[in-house]
Amino acid sequence: GYQHLPADAFVFGAAVPGASTAVVALDGRDLQLVDLDSGELDDRFPSTDVTLSEPTSGSSLSTGAPPARHPSLLRVSADGRFVVHMTTIEPSEPCLDPQAPPETDDRPCVELSVYELASGRRVIGPITPSFGAGDVAINADGSLVAVAGGYDGDLPAYRTADGELLGPAAALP
């Protein structure tokens, strides 16, 4: 049947392999677990707050998360234990590498976090790559997250156990 999800603008989602659940990002920010049989929402994930800079005063304020400007990405590990959520942000400082040539594809600043599905606990993040990221992937057991994009096709990978940046794809074990 049809289940209306309480989003103001849009919903992004990813099915959990081997389960009758999906992870959704309501308005690109608010993570929820949805039971696909009953439509019941589970809000086990921490709420997303962002810090926005005030353009006129330069001060910053913490708010409930506004809707994302561009699509959020959700990827679930094949074993169904972890989800990575990458979404746009409005940082108070530029997030792009100042040494990089100007971006021509209008990619926004993003941040990503990895959550344990069973508990909703944030495992790593938020991480803000120093380039305009275009996609994110998580490996089968959820131990590595890779972020693609940037002016030269960067592909840094992070270990989910501790958030350590492992380096570009060529440097991975």
Side-chain angles (χ1 to χ4, degrees):
Y2 175 80
Q3 172 66 29
H4 175 77
L5 297 174
D8 292 328
F10 42 81
V11 176
F12 300 98
V16 178
S20 62
T21 56
V23 181
V24 295
L26 304 177
D27 293 319
R29 302 258 188 237
D30 184 20
L31 291 185
Q32 303 274 320
L33 194 64
V34 179
D35 183 306
L36 297 175
D37 295 326
S38 69
E40 184 178 326
L41 289 172
D42 179 332
D43 64 351
R44 67 182 65 192
F45 301 99
S47 65
T48 305
D49 288 333
V50 295
T51 301
L52 301 173
S53 61
E54 274 296 325
T56 54
S57 69
S59 64
S60 53
L61 59 127
S62 182
T63 69
R69 293 182 302 140
H70 296 275
S72 286
L73 296 174
L74 292 168
R75 305 288 190 251
V76 179
S77 61
D79 64 7
R81 294 184 319 141
F82 298 98
V83 60
V84 60
H85 179 222
M86 185 170 82
T87 192
T88 58
I89 59 170
E90 295 181 25
S92 57
E93 298 177 11
C95 65
L96 301 176
D97 182 348
Q99 301 299 317
E103 294 285 337
T104 58
D105 57 4
D106 196 32
R107 287 192 183 137
C109 298
V110 300
E111 71 179 17
L112 65 105
S113 295
V114 177
Y115 299 89
E116 183 181 69
L117 281 170
S119 67
R121 177 180 66 91
R122 186 187 327 243
V123 178
I124 62 168
I127 295 171
T128 303
S130 63
F131 57 87
D135 204 356
V136 65
I138 189 166
N139 70 341
D141 67 2
S143 62
L144 296 174
V145 172
V147 183
Y151 65 95
D152 64 356
D154 289 335
L155 185 67
Y158 299 89
R159 188 172 36 226
T160 57
D162 57 10
E164 181 181 352
L165 174 61
L166 299 177
L172 295 178

